Amino acid sequence: MKTFQIANIPGDGIGKEVVPAATEVLNALAEVHGGIKFEFTEFPWSCEYYLEHGQMMPDDGLEQLKDFDSIFLGAVGNLQLVPDHISLWGLLIKIRREFEQVINIRPAKLMDGVRSPLVNPKDFDLIVVRENSEGEYSSIGGNIYKDEDEIAIQNAIFSRKASERAMRYAFELAAKRGKHVTSATKSNGIIYSMPFWDKVFKEVSKDYPDITTDSQHIDALAAFFVTHPDKFDVVVASNLFGDILTDLGAAIMGSIGIAPAANINVNGKYPSMFEPVHGSAPDILGKGIANPIGQIWTAKMMLDHFGEEELGTALLDIVESVTRDGYLTPDIGGTNTTKEVTDEIIKRIRDLGKLNADEETTGYSKV
Ligand code: NAI
Ligand code: MG
């Protein structure tokens, strides 16, 4: 029996609704599988915790988290209690930075039964690998002079190490998927960092002869996400370009409520963190209608990360069968509640378990 230790941080708002839902789903999967187990430890760190303790997590918070196999986070932010820069930087960003979660990955896929805002979206299924540690989001620069002479300087940092790391991650991912990597560049306009990025991309691509590649300027690439999202498999991008592209990716799927994300630690020193793209959604808090799919899909990414890819794929197939059959929360055009959608997913996981047991196969191997 393989046991995975998971640190649950539901956080604020609907995080407290969707993390328990996804946790139930993971437990149902473990039951059906038979060979794995999840042990969840919940941490109450949130804006309410801040009000009581004056900080988002205790001084030894990272120490408490560091030996878990992964961190499963809901959302952080409650503007009525705590300003966003304090809540986000005091928890989420602290974990991302200190645990060297240098890669951010976000898939975007047309889900059966979910209406995309695109008129003719075709069947897209892509994943963006975003360099998450440097690039355009480096705090190097400064301001000088005043008034009409005022100057702001913002430097972008592109190291071979971090660029190559993100690219290799993208190629490894593509090897398990559609075998194509697109590099987001802008070497016609940004004349030092982006030609360097292109050069490293070319070098790295030589190590992956089975994978085809192309490079696209970010402006054209953004347009292609709207006009031809089906043409992409894995897209690798710098921090800023990846940030913009991934919001676009979530948008073309039809709701931020279904978009998952992962912050990956690649050196194995610290846990990775899995969190949906959405925030705490105070406008729907307590109504029981938060879409649990973003968090559940995030759990699928966690399973992939644990090497349980078959189980992860089975989970996403079940989620898609549920949306296909019209179990939809209001954000994607339905009338179902968080609980109804979650219960249906769990029911289908158990049905699958029964089916496999009847056929005397092990676990979910028939999926
Ligand atoms: P948001 O993502 O919380 O909400 C944006 C809109 O999408 C709202 O109308 C909301 O109802 C809807 N929505 C989001 N998730 C949904 C779900 N699962 N099901 C159905 N509808 C959903 O973004 P907003 O309103 O800008 O931020 C609210 C708070 O969350 C802020 O304090 C913000 O700082 C924080 N935040 C935290 C993030 C994180 O923890 N990673 C990410 C984004 C925002
Ligand atoms: Mg963003």
Side-chain angles (χ1 to χ4, degrees):
M1 176 79 74
K2 248 194 281 177
T3 303
F4 296 102
Q5 298 291 342
I6 299 172
N8 270 13
I9 309 178
D12 294 298
I14 62 164
K16 293 199 180 87
E17 301 173 14
V18 294
V19 168
T23 301
E24 263 186 76
V25 167
L26 280 167
N27 279 332
L29 281 172
E31 251 170 59
V32 165
H33 182 286
I36 60 170
K37 201 166 99 192
F38 302 110
E39 280 179 9
F40 297 95
T41 306
E42 190 166 310
F43 295 87
W45 305 336
S46 60
C47 291
E48 278 164 27
Y49 183 92
Y50 181 92
L51 281 195
E52 216 174 300
H53 300 90
Q55 50 187 354
M56 290 298 293
M57 64 166 136
D59 289 335
D60 69 344
L62 293 170
E63 191 58 33
Q64 291 188 42
L65 292 176
K66 81 175 186 355
D67 293 327
F68 280 89
D69 292 311
S70 77
I71 301 165
F72 196 48
L73 185 121
V76 180
N78 183 338
L79 270 172
Q80 279 174 329
L81 302 181
V82 182
D84 270 352
H85 68 277
I86 292 181
S87 57
L88 291 184
W89 282 85
L91 186 59
L92 193 68
I93 301 185
K94 206 168 179 177
I95 297 172
R96 284 186 192 163
R97 294 276 155 94
E98 297 292 321
F99 283 174
E100 298 173 22
Q101 293 168 349
V102 295
I103 307 274
N104 186 280
I105 48 177
R106 291 186 182 178
K109 176 179 180 320
L110 186 69
M111 295 284 278
D112 273 353
V114 179
R115 204 178 42 219
S116 162
L118 303 179
V119 173
N120 181 14
K122 305 233 180 69
D123 196 12
F124 65 87
D125 179 358
L126 61 89
I127 184 158
V128 177
V129 175
R130 165 181 167 194
E131 201 294 310
N132 213 24
S133 72
E134 54 168 43
E136 304 86 346
Y137 294 171
S138 307
S139 46
I140 296 182
N143 299 73
I144 43 169
Y145 308 135
K146 286 217 160 78
D147 304 324
E148 69 268 28
D149 293 325
E150 193 170 2
I151 294 174
I153 297 171
Q154 171 76 54
N155 290 308
I157 303 297
F158 282 80
S159 67
R160 175 178 287 276
K161 189 172 152 196
S163 306
E164 194 174 321
R165 187 167 60 195
M167 290 165 188
R168 286 197 186 279
Y169 196 92
F171 277 98
E172 297 293 339
L173 206 54
K176 296 187 208 152
R177 298 177 33 110
K179 306 214 165 9
H180 188 81
V181 177
T182 302
S183 161
T185 184
K186 190 62 194 169
S187 43
N188 59 352
I190 302 178
I191 60 165
Y192 297 110
S193 57
M194 281 297 137
F196 171 73
W197 173 272
D198 291 353
K199 179 176 79 177
V200 177
F201 184 68
K202 252 198 201 118
E203 286 170 14
V204 172
S205 69
K206 290 204 183 100
D207 290 342
Y208 300 89
D210 298 339
I211 297 183
T212 54
T213 63
D214 67 327
S215 280
Q216 301 284 347
H217 293 308
I218 185 65
D219 41 356
L221 186 52
F224 286 144
F225 262 46
V226 174
T227 56
H228 300 96
D230 54 303
K231 298 275 186 271
F232 298 101
D233 176 28
V234 177
V235 179
V236 63
S238 64
N239 213 335
L240 169 67
F241 292 173
D243 190 9
I244 297 169
L245 279 180
T246 50
D247 268 32
L248 195 47
I252 59 176
M253 280 202 282
S255 169
I256 197 172
I258 63 173
N263 300 286
I264 305 289
N265 168 279
V266 291
N267 60 19
K269 282 194 203 156
Y270 304 103
S272 297
M273 177 162 65
F274 299 84
E275 49 161 343
V277 173
H278 66 75
S280 55
D283 53 330
I284 56 165
L285 174 63
K287 294 186 179 156
I289 54 166
N291 197 332
I293 292 179
Q295 191 77 45
I296 293 170
W297 194 339
T298 299
K300 179 250 191 262
M301 294 177 81
M302 187 161 76
L303 292 170
D304 291 347
H305 187 71
F306 287 157
E308 297 292 337
E309 279 139 340
E310 205 181 335
L311 196 60
T313 304
L315 173 58
L316 192 59
D317 286 349
I318 286 175
V319 169
E320 202 164 3
S321 78
V322 164
T323 54
R324 185 188 307 127
D325 291 343
Y327 292 86
L328 307 169
T329 46
D331 58 306
I332 45 175
T335 54
N336 290 109
T337 61
T338 311
K339 185 167 176 2
E340 284 164 352
V341 173
T342 307
D343 286 351
E344 187 58 31
I345 291 169
I346 290 172
K347 177 176 168 288
R348 292 184 189 204
I349 291 169
R350 296 212 166 110
D351 287 349
L352 185 70
K354 273 189 219 128
L355 185 77
N356 284 339
D358 290 348
E359 292 180 9
E360 289 180 23
T361 63
T362 49
Y364 50 89
S365 57
K366 273 288 166 76
V367 177

